[in-house]
Amino acid sequence: MSPSPDRAARSRANGHGAAVVWLTGLPASGKTTIARAVEAALFGRAVQIYVLDGDVLRRGLCRDLGFSPADRTENIRRAGELAALFADAGFVVLVAFISPTAADRHAARHAASGVSFIEVFVDCPLAECQHRDPKNLYQRARAGEIAHLTGVSAPYQAPKNPEVHLHTDTTPVAECAARIIRHLELGGVLPP
Amino acid sequence: MSPSPDRAARSRANGHGAAVVWLTGLPASGKTTIARAVEAALFGRAVQIYVLDGDVLRRGLCRDLGFSPADRTENIRRAGELAALFADAGFVVLVAFISPTAADRHAARHAASGVSFIEVFVDCPLAECQHRDPKNLYQRARAGEIAHLTGVSAPYQAPKNPEVHLHTDTTPVAECAARIIRHLELGGVLPP
C-alpha cells in the first residue's frame, strides 16, 4: 500500500501550498466580506480554497456552545483545529472570526503548526462598525439584548504583530483581498 | 464581488463530486487500513481526498472529550459535522470511526445532507479482530484497563442497510478499497 499523501505531495498535486489565513476584528469590520472576496479570486485561479465562517460553524460543529467566555474560547479552539485539518488536506483556508483575545489566536496558530499561519487584522474604527452594523448586533447590544458584544461590553485585544494589517474604513474590499493574496504569493504559498 | 463557489462549481473545478464515505466496524476490523488504501488510490487519480481518523481527531478537535457514552456520541457528532464541511469544500472524505450506534451514524448522514453519504460496514468476526488487535485494545480490555470496548463490554449495532458491506476476514484490503471506489464511480461521484 502506498503511504498517505503528505502535505508536500498534496502541494505538488494542487500546484500551491497550504495556509491558514486568520481574519480577526470587531463585529462588522469586514472579515467575512474580505474572506469571500479572497475566496472568489483564488477559486478562479484553481486554488483549493475554503472559508470557515463563524455563523456556519455555530449552526453545526459548534452548536453545543453558547457565548460565555469559556464557550467562546472553545468555539475558537475548534475553528483553529478545523483550519489545521483543512490545511493538512492541502487547502488555503480562511477563518473569519472576531477572536478577540491574543491567547485564543495564539492557540489557533499553534494548532496549525507546520503550515503558514497568516494573521490578518481587519482594523476598522468602532464608530464605523457601529454605523455599518449589517446584523444589527450593535443596535441589539444597546437595547440590552446581547450581553457581551466585543468592542462594546467585551474587550477586543488588537493584534500587535499581524502578518497583514488592513484598514477597512479607508481601503476598498478588492484592495484588502489583493493585499492578502499578495502576501500568500510573496510567502510562497501561491505561485506568483 | 463574485458569489462563493458552490458545490457544483467546486465539482466542475475538481472533475469529480463530493462524498462522505463512513466506515464503521469493530476495533481492528480494518477501517483505517481500507480508508488509507482508498485515499492512496484516489490521490493517484487527482481526487481531492482526505481521511478523518479517530485517533487524530482525539488529539486535536476532540481532545476535550473522554469515552463516556455521551462523549463518544459528541465525538461522532463532530466527526459528522467535520465530514460535511470537507464535502462542502469539494472533497471525497473518508471517516474511519467505530461509530457503534445506528443513531450516531444516522446523525452523521443527516449532517452531510446534500452530498452522497456512503455507509461502509467493515464487517469482521469478533474473534478475528481480537486475534489481530494491532493496538492491544482487546488485550487491555481483558486486563480491565479499558472499561467500554465496543464488541466486548459495549454494544455494536451492525448497519442494516449499508451502501457497501465488506467482509474483511476474507476479502483482501485492495479488493475492499476497489469496491468502495467502484461504488463512487457507479454513483457518479467519480468519473469511471
Side-chain angles (χ1 to χ4, degrees):
Chain A
M1 183 181 138
S2 313
S4 293
D6 60 10
R7 286 178 186 166
R10 290 182 186 274
S11 175
R12 278 194 302 275
N14 288 333
H16 62 79
V20 175
V21 180
W22 191 279
L23 297 102
T24 172
L26 292 174
S29 57
K31 299 178 295 298
T32 298
T33 302
I34 293 167
R36 293 294 176 193
V38 172
E39 182 189 39
L42 292 186
F43 186 76
R45 284 168 59 175
V47 172
Q48 293 291 334
I49 182 122
Y50 196 62
V51 174
L52 295 179
D53 182 80
D55 293 339
V56 172
L57 260 59
R58 284 274 182 192
R59 288 196 294 272
L61 182 69
C62 300
R63 71 161 177 262
D64 55 318
L65 301 174
F67 290 88
S68 70
D71 277 7
R72 293 186 72 169
T73 287
E74 172 64 9
N75 188 46
I76 294 163
R77 186 190 75 79
R78 290 189 200 170
E81 295 287 353
L82 190 53
L85 289 170
F86 268 91
D88 186 58
F91 267 69
V92 175
V93 57
L94 298 145
V95 185
F97 268 61
I98 298 169
S99 47
T101 76
D104 288 350
R105 296 191 301 263
H106 179 80
R109 186 185 292 269
H110 182 75
S113 66
V115 298
S116 298
F117 185 95
I118 296 145
E119 188 175 42
V120 179
F121 180 19
V122 182
D123 192 359
C124 188
L126 181 60
E128 172 64 18
C129 294
Q130 287 174 320
H131 173 69
R132 296 175 177 176
D133 204 16
K135 298 183 204 164
N136 295 320
L137 293 173
Y138 292 102
Q139 190 181 33
R140 288 167 59 201
R142 277 194 299 273
E145 293 169 30
I146 297 176
H148 301 287
L149 187 69
T150 301
V152 177
S153 44
Y156 179 77
Q157 298 173 348
K160 287 206 169 69
N161 289 298
E163 276 80 3
V164 179
H165 188 157
L166 304 173
H167 296 275
T168 55
D169 55 331
T170 52
T171 312
V173 170
E175 172 57 21
C176 290
R179 281 199 51 205
I180 292 172
I181 293 169
R182 210 145 54 222
H183 188 92
L184 291 166
E185 290 168 345
L186 291 173
V189 174
L190 301 181
Chain B
M1 183 182 136
S2 314
S4 293
D6 59 11
R7 286 177 187 168
R10 290 182 187 274
S11 175
R12 279 194 301 276
N14 287 334
H16 63 80
V20 175
V21 180
W22 191 279
L23 298 100
T24 172
L26 292 174
S29 55
K31 301 177 296 299
T32 298
T33 303
I34 293 167
R36 293 293 176 193
V38 172
E39 181 189 39
L42 292 186
F43 186 76
R45 284 168 58 175
V47 172
Q48 292 291 332
I49 182 121
Y50 196 63
V51 174
L52 295 179
D53 183 80
D55 294 340
V56 172
L57 261 58
R58 284 274 182 191
R59 289 196 293 272
L61 182 68
C62 300
R63 71 160 177 260
D64 55 319
L65 300 174
F67 289 88
S68 69
D71 276 8
R72 292 185 72 170
T73 287
E74 172 64 9
N75 188 45
I76 295 164
R77 186 189 76 79
R78 290 188 200 170
E81 295 287 354
L82 191 53
L85 289 170
F86 269 90
D88 187 57
F91 269 72
V92 175
V93 57
L94 299 144
V95 185
F97 268 61
I98 299 169
S99 47
T101 76
D104 287 350
R105 296 190 301 262
H106 179 79
R109 186 185 292 269
H110 182 75
S113 67
V115 298
S116 299
F117 186 94
I118 296 145
E119 188 177 40
V120 179
F121 181 18
V122 182
D123 192 359
C124 188
L126 181 60
E128 171 65 17
C129 295
Q130 287 174 320
H131 173 70
R132 293 175 178 177
D133 205 16
K135 297 183 206 164
N136 295 321
L137 293 173
Y138 292 102
Q139 189 181 34
R140 289 167 58 201
R142 279 194 298 274
E145 293 171 28
I146 298 177
H148 301 288
L149 187 66
T150 301
V152 177
S153 45
Y156 179 75
Q157 298 173 349
K160 288 205 169 68
N161 290 297
E163 277 80 4
V164 178
H165 189 157
L166 303 173
H167 295 275
T168 54
D169 55 330
T170 52
T171 311
V173 170
E175 171 57 19
C176 289
R179 283 200 48 206
I180 292 172
I181 292 169
R182 211 143 55 220
H183 188 92
L184 291 166
E185 290 168 346
L186 292 173
V189 174
L190 300 181

Short mmCIF file of all heavy atoms in Angstrom, two decimals, chain A residues 64-96:
data_model
loop_
_atom_site.label_atom_id
_atom_site.label_comp_id
_atom_site.label_asym_id
_atom_site.label_seq_id
_atom_site.Cartn_x
_atom_site.Cartn_y
_atom_site.Cartn_z
N ASP A 64 -23.34 23.20 20.11
CA ASP A 64 -23.49 22.92 21.54
C ASP A 64 -22.94 24.06 22.39
O ASP A 64 -23.04 23.99 23.61
CB ASP A 64 -22.78 21.61 21.89
CG ASP A 64 -21.31 21.61 21.47
OD1 ASP A 64 -21.01 22.10 20.35
OD2 ASP A 64 -20.46 21.15 22.25
N LEU A 65 -22.36 25.07 21.78
CA LEU A 65 -21.70 26.13 22.55
C LEU A 65 -22.54 27.40 22.61
O LEU A 65 -23.24 27.74 21.66
CB LEU A 65 -20.34 26.46 21.91
CG LEU A 65 -19.35 25.31 21.81
CD1 LEU A 65 -18.12 25.73 21.04
CD2 LEU A 65 -18.98 24.80 23.21
N GLY A 66 -22.41 28.09 23.74
CA GLY A 66 -23.07 29.39 23.91
C GLY A 66 -22.06 30.51 23.74
O GLY A 66 -21.09 30.40 22.99
N PHE A 67 -22.28 31.60 24.47
CA PHE A 67 -21.44 32.79 24.27
C PHE A 67 -20.73 33.23 25.56
O PHE A 67 -20.27 34.35 25.66
CB PHE A 67 -22.28 33.93 23.68
CG PHE A 67 -22.67 33.68 22.26
CD1 PHE A 67 -23.83 32.98 21.96
CD2 PHE A 67 -21.85 34.09 21.21
CE1 PHE A 67 -24.19 32.72 20.63
CE2 PHE A 67 -22.19 33.83 19.89
CZ PHE A 67 -23.36 33.14 19.61
N SER A 68 -20.65 32.31 26.53
CA SER A 68 -19.85 32.61 27.71
C SER A 68 -18.38 32.70 27.29
O SER A 68 -18.01 32.18 26.23
CB SER A 68 -20.01 31.50 28.75
OG SER A 68 -19.38 30.32 28.28
N PRO A 69 -17.54 33.35 28.09
CA PRO A 69 -16.12 33.41 27.73
C PRO A 69 -15.53 32.02 27.47
O PRO A 69 -14.79 31.83 26.50
CB PRO A 69 -15.49 34.10 28.94
CG PRO A 69 -16.58 34.97 29.49
CD PRO A 69 -17.85 34.19 29.28
N ALA A 70 -15.87 31.03 28.30
CA ALA A 70 -15.31 29.68 28.11
C ALA A 70 -15.81 29.08 26.80
O ALA A 70 -15.03 28.45 26.06
CB ALA A 70 -15.70 28.78 29.29
N ASP A 71 -17.08 29.26 26.49
CA ASP A 71 -17.62 28.71 25.25
C ASP A 71 -17.05 29.42 24.03
O ASP A 71 -16.82 28.80 22.99
CB ASP A 71 -19.16 28.79 25.24
CG ASP A 71 -19.80 27.62 25.99
OD1 ASP A 71 -19.06 26.84 26.63
OD2 ASP A 71 -21.03 27.50 25.95
N ARG A 72 -16.82 30.71 24.15
CA ARG A 72 -16.23 31.44 23.01
C ARG A 72 -14.81 30.96 22.75
O ARG A 72 -14.40 30.79 21.60
CB ARG A 72 -16.24 32.95 23.28
CG ARG A 72 -17.64 33.53 23.31
CD ARG A 72 -17.63 35.04 23.44
NE ARG A 72 -17.20 35.65 22.19
CZ ARG A 72 -17.28 36.96 21.92
NH1 ARG A 72 -17.79 37.78 22.83
NH2 ARG A 72 -16.88 37.44 20.78
N THR A 73 -14.08 30.71 23.84
CA THR A 73 -12.72 30.17 23.68
C THR A 73 -12.76 28.80 23.03
O THR A 73 -11.98 28.49 22.13
CB THR A 73 -12.00 30.13 25.04
OG1 THR A 73 -11.67 31.46 25.42
CG2 THR A 73 -10.73 29.29 24.98
N GLU A 74 -13.69 27.95 23.46
CA GLU A 74 -13.82 26.61 22.88
C GLU A 74 -14.22 26.70 21.41
O GLU A 74 -13.74 25.93 20.57
CB GLU A 74 -14.83 25.79 23.69
CG GLU A 74 -15.21 24.43 23.09
CD GLU A 74 -14.05 23.42 22.98
OE1 GLU A 74 -12.96 23.69 23.52
OE2 GLU A 74 -14.26 22.38 22.34
N ASN A 75 -15.10 27.63 21.09
CA ASN A 75 -15.52 27.87 19.71
C ASN A 75 -14.31 28.18 18.82
O ASN A 75 -14.14 27.62 17.74
CB ASN A 75 -16.52 29.04 19.71
CG ASN A 75 -17.18 29.26 18.36
OD1 ASN A 75 -17.64 28.31 17.74
ND2 ASN A 75 -17.25 30.50 17.93
N ILE A 76 -13.45 29.05 19.32
CA ILE A 76 -12.27 29.44 18.55
C ILE A 76 -11.25 28.30 18.52
O ILE A 76 -10.59 28.08 17.51
CB ILE A 76 -11.66 30.74 19.14
CG1 ILE A 76 -12.66 31.87 18.94
CG2 ILE A 76 -10.33 31.07 18.49
CD1 ILE A 76 -12.39 33.09 19.79
N ARG A 77 -11.15 27.56 19.61
CA ARG A 77 -10.25 26.40 19.63
C ARG A 77 -10.64 25.42 18.52
O ARG A 77 -9.80 24.95 17.74
CB ARG A 77 -10.29 25.68 20.98
CG ARG A 77 -9.26 24.55 21.09
CD ARG A 77 -9.46 23.68 22.32
NE ARG A 77 -10.59 22.76 22.22
CZ ARG A 77 -10.56 21.60 21.55
NH1 ARG A 77 -9.47 21.20 20.94
NH2 ARG A 77 -11.63 20.84 21.50
N ARG A 78 -11.94 25.14 18.42
CA ARG A 78 -12.38 24.19 17.39
C ARG A 78 -12.13 24.74 16.00
O ARG A 78 -11.73 24.00 15.09
CB ARG A 78 -13.86 23.87 17.58
CG ARG A 78 -14.13 23.05 18.83
CD ARG A 78 -15.58 22.58 18.85
NE ARG A 78 -16.00 22.22 20.20
CZ ARG A 78 -17.25 21.97 20.57
NH1 ARG A 78 -18.22 22.05 19.66
NH2 ARG A 78 -17.54 21.64 21.80
N ALA A 79 -12.36 26.03 15.82
CA ALA A 79 -12.10 26.62 14.49
C ALA A 79 -10.63 26.48 14.14
O ALA A 79 -10.28 26.19 12.98
CB ALA A 79 -12.52 28.10 14.49
N GLY A 80 -9.76 26.66 15.12
CA GLY A 80 -8.33 26.52 14.88
C GLY A 80 -7.94 25.10 14.52
O GLY A 80 -7.16 24.86 13.59
N GLU A 81 -8.51 24.13 15.22
CA GLU A 81 -8.21 22.72 14.92
C GLU A 81 -8.76 22.34 13.54
O GLU A 81 -8.13 21.60 12.78
CB GLU A 81 -8.83 21.81 15.99
CG GLU A 81 -8.25 21.99 17.39
CD GLU A 81 -6.83 21.40 17.53
OE1 GLU A 81 -6.35 20.75 16.58
OE2 GLU A 81 -6.22 21.61 18.59
N LEU A 82 -9.94 22.86 13.24
CA LEU A 82 -10.58 22.61 11.95
C LEU A 82 -9.74 23.19 10.82
O LEU A 82 -9.50 22.54 9.80
CB LEU A 82 -11.96 23.27 12.00
CG LEU A 82 -12.97 23.01 10.94
CD1 LEU A 82 -13.18 21.52 10.76
CD2 LEU A 82 -14.29 23.67 11.34
N ALA A 83 -9.30 24.41 11.01
CA ALA A 83 -8.46 25.06 9.99
C ALA A 83 -7.18 24.26 9.78
O ALA A 83 -6.72 24.08 8.64
CB ALA A 83 -8.13 26.49 10.42
N ALA A 84 -6.61 23.74 10.86
CA ALA A 84 -5.39 22.94 10.75
C ALA A 84 -5.64 21.69 9.91
O ALA A 84 -4.79 21.28 9.11
CB ALA A 84 -4.87 22.57 12.14
N LEU A 85 -6.80 21.07 10.08
CA LEU A 85 -7.12 19.88 9.28
C LEU A 85 -7.28 20.23 7.81
O LEU A 85 -6.79 19.51 6.93
CB LEU A 85 -8.41 19.22 9.80
CG LEU A 85 -8.31 18.52 11.16
CD1 LEU A 85 -9.69 18.14 11.67
CD2 LEU A 85 -7.44 17.27 11.06
N PHE A 86 -7.95 21.34 7.53
CA PHE A 86 -8.10 21.77 6.13
C PHE A 86 -6.73 22.07 5.51
O PHE A 86 -6.47 21.73 4.36
CB PHE A 86 -9.03 22.98 6.02
CG PHE A 86 -10.48 22.61 5.81
CD1 PHE A 86 -11.32 22.42 6.88
CD2 PHE A 86 -10.98 22.43 4.53
CE1 PHE A 86 -12.65 22.05 6.68
CE2 PHE A 86 -12.30 22.06 4.32
CZ PHE A 86 -13.15 21.88 5.39
N ALA A 87 -5.88 22.71 6.27
CA ALA A 87 -4.54 22.99 5.75
C ALA A 87 -3.77 21.69 5.53
O ALA A 87 -3.07 21.53 4.53
CB ALA A 87 -3.79 23.91 6.71
N ASP A 88 -3.93 20.75 6.44
CA ASP A 88 -3.28 19.45 6.27
C ASP A 88 -3.76 18.76 5.00
O ASP A 88 -3.01 18.04 4.34
CB ASP A 88 -3.55 18.56 7.49
CG ASP A 88 -2.77 17.26 7.45
OD1 ASP A 88 -1.53 17.33 7.37
OD2 ASP A 88 -3.39 16.17 7.45
N ALA A 89 -5.02 19.02 4.64
CA ALA A 89 -5.59 18.44 3.42
C ALA A 89 -5.20 19.22 2.17
O ALA A 89 -5.62 18.86 1.08
CB ALA A 89 -7.11 18.37 3.55
N GLY A 90 -4.41 20.29 2.33
CA GLY A 90 -3.88 21.00 1.17
C GLY A 90 -4.54 22.33 0.86
O GLY A 90 -4.19 22.98 -0.12
N PHE A 91 -5.46 22.76 1.69
CA PHE A 91 -6.24 23.97 1.41
C PHE A 91 -5.55 25.24 1.88
O PHE A 91 -4.78 25.23 2.83
CB PHE A 91 -7.60 23.90 2.13
CG PHE A 91 -8.70 23.33 1.28
CD1 PHE A 91 -8.71 22.00 0.92
CD2 PHE A 91 -9.73 24.14 0.82
CE1 PHE A 91 -9.71 21.48 0.14
CE2 PHE A 91 -10.74 23.63 0.02
CZ PHE A 91 -10.74 22.30 -0.32
N VAL A 92 -5.86 26.33 1.19
CA VAL A 92 -5.75 27.66 1.78
C VAL A 92 -7.10 27.90 2.44
O VAL A 92 -8.13 27.99 1.76
CB VAL A 92 -5.46 28.73 0.73
CG1 VAL A 92 -5.47 30.12 1.36
CG2 VAL A 92 -4.12 28.46 0.05
N VAL A 93 -7.13 27.95 3.74
CA VAL A 93 -8.39 28.08 4.47
C VAL A 93 -8.43 29.44 5.15
O VAL A 93 -7.46 29.87 5.78
CB VAL A 93 -8.59 26.91 5.46
CG1 VAL A 93 -7.45 26.80 6.45
CG2 VAL A 93 -9.92 27.02 6.19
N LEU A 94 -9.54 30.13 4.95
CA LEU A 94 -9.75 31.45 5.54
C LEU A 94 -10.69 31.33 6.72
O LEU A 94 -11.77 30.72 6.59
CB LEU A 94 -10.36 32.39 4.50
CG LEU A 94 -9.51 32.64 3.25
CD1 LEU A 94 -10.38 32.79 2.02
CD2 LEU A 94 -8.66 33.88 3.43
N VAL A 95 -10.31 31.88 7.85
CA VAL A 95 -11.14 31.81 9.04
C VAL A 95 -11.54 33.22 9.41
O VAL A 95 -10.68 34.07 9.66
CB VAL A 95 -10.38 31.15 10.22
CG1 VAL A 95 -11.31 30.98 11.42
CG2 VAL A 95 -9.80 29.80 9.79
N ALA A 96 -12.85 33.48 9.41
CA ALA A 96 -13.36 34.82 9.71
C ALA A 96 -14.05 34.78 11.07
O ALA A 96 -15.22 34.43 11.16
CB ALA A 96 -14.34 35.26 8.61
#
